Amino acid sequence: LQHSVAIDSGFRNSGVTVGRGGKIMMAVRSTHCLEVPLSHKGKLMVSEEYIEFLIHVANRKMEENT
């Protein structure tokens, strides 16, 4: 039931998982996400300016979520 409510409320990335011990867990996840690789093998691949831009975008998304 809770999974249906989460999906119907717009949390499209929500799901239910069953752990090894039989523990059932539900995750309610928003469609607002930001995944950006910044480094590879310990080397920074982007400029500090770009990181500041990403922080601004992420903060704006957090404000939208509230």
Side-chain angles (χ1 to χ4, degrees):
L1 175 64
Q2 289 87 359
H3 182 256
S4 297
V5 171
I7 296 295
D8 292 343
S9 298
F11 296 99
R12 305 280 183 243
N13 295 329
S14 299
V16 177
T17 58
V18 180
R20 287 186 175 171
K23 183 177 181 179
I24 299 171
M25 296 185 294
M26 189 179 99
V28 177
R29 296 187 186 108
S30 172
T31 55
H32 296 289
C33 68
L34 182 65
E35 294 182 29
V36 181
L38 303 177
S39 64
H40 180 68
K41 295 183 179 180
K43 180 182 176 191
L44 187 62
M45 303 299 290
V46 298
S47 69
E48 297 260 343
E49 181 182 15
Y50 184 65
I51 293 173
E52 289 177 21
F53 169 74
L54 291 177
I55 291 169
H56 173 73
V57 171
N59 285 337
R60 190 172 61 226
K61 287 180 178 286
M62 290 297 290
E63 288 172 9
E64 289 174 11
N65 283 336
T66 59

